[in-house]
Structures are given as C-alpha cells and as structure tokens.
Amino acid sequence: MLRTLAAAAAAAATTALLAVAASPAHAARIEIDDPKGDTPGGKRLDVVGVRIHNEDDRVVVRVAFAAERNGDLIVSIDPRGARGLRLVAEKRGEPGGDGTIDQYLVPGAFTDTTTGPSPVTCTSYRLRWNGDVARMVMPSDCLHDGDYGAIRVAVLTENGAGDSDYAPGDRGATRWIARG
C-alpha cells in the first residue's frame, strides 16, 4: 500500500511538472483593453488596446487607437528593482499623409521607485506607425544592457494641450510581465 501511494504521488508530481513545462509562456505577454471615447475634447489619440511582449531579446509594444490622429505616444517601461525608460513617438502632419514621426528614448519610467542615473544608449529602438496602430520594438540591450527580468508598462498619449489618454486605468501600470 505504501509503495502504491508513493508511486501515485510520483506520477502525479511528474504529470504536474510536465504540464507546467509544456504550457505556453503566457507570463511574457499581456493585453490591455481601454475604453473608446475616454479622451477629453474629442480629436486626440484615443488608446483602445495595448499588447506587450517581454521577450528574451526585446520588448514589443503594439498600441491601437480609435482613429488615426496626430499626437505623442509615450510607453513607460519599468523593470523590477531598477530605473526604467520611456519610448517616445511624436506624430505630426496630416492623418493618412506623409506626416513626420520622430522617435527617441527618455530615462526614467512613470512608476520608477528607484533613484539614480539611468543613461539611455540605444540606437536600435524601432517604431512603425501605420494608421491607427503604432508598434514599438526595444531590443533588450537598450535597458540595463539586457540585465533585467520582469517589467511593468504604462501608456500615455498627449497632444499640444496636455494628456489625452492613459492605459491601464487611471495613472496605473500593468501587473509585472515576466521575461520569456
């Protein structure tokens, strides 16, 4: 009887371990839905969805808007236990036209709890803004030379008159997104 219980426990533990090992890496990805029409004053960048992938070699952020508009998109990336940074994209010109889109990085995340210098040296941050979707790709070496784990993210849009939209919620950040 004791041998049977031990064998059953070992089989159950092996099955549980295999299930965990075989499960997809959901922790490295998160999606946020944001209400349409929650921007003040109408014609502003209205975030309706955000998808974040914290991959081993890069962080990919895809932001969907209710409509194509000009404005600034700021994605704050805060690594656990370290200073973060902000991915910035500024879109100008006529929607649907050849408007200017500038991109750069700024030290410090919105939700940083640590202090001290956080130099940003990254020439490989990429942005593709097509209509009502912006896709930002930050290689892992842009953040603490790739030496980080879980991150949390916040998304802000602005126009000349101030803040337009914030996701998730009201000045919060995502839960921690494991690196995968």
Side-chain angles (χ1 to χ4, degrees), residues 106-165:
V106 178
F110 300 149
T111 53
D112 271 338
T113 57
T114 59
T115 59
S118 61
V120 177
T121 54
C122 181
T123 58
S124 50
Y125 155 52
R126 296 184 319 267
L127 165 72
R128 186 178 73 224
W129 197 322
N130 188 8
D132 60 357
V133 175
R135 184 175 185 266
M136 302 167 140
V137 179
M138 182 199 70
S140 60
D141 61 354
C142 295
L143 185 59
H144 296 283
D145 293 324
D147 186 18
Y148 65 92
I151 60 172
R152 59 185 173 179
V153 175
V155 176
L156 171 69
T157 62
E158 298 177 336
N159 70 357
D163 294 355
S164 296
D165 202 1

Side-chain angles (χ1 to χ4, degrees), residues 27-28 53-56 58-59 77-82 138 140 143-144 146-152 176-180:
H53 294 263
N54 186 13
E55 300 174 5
D56 187 49
R58 63 189 176 165
V59 174
I77 300 177
D78 182 14
R80 190 187 315 256
M138 182 199 70
S140 60
L143 185 59
H144 296 283
D147 186 18
Y148 65 92
I151 60 172
R152 59 185 173 179
W176 290 105
I177 307 163
R179 191 165 175 186

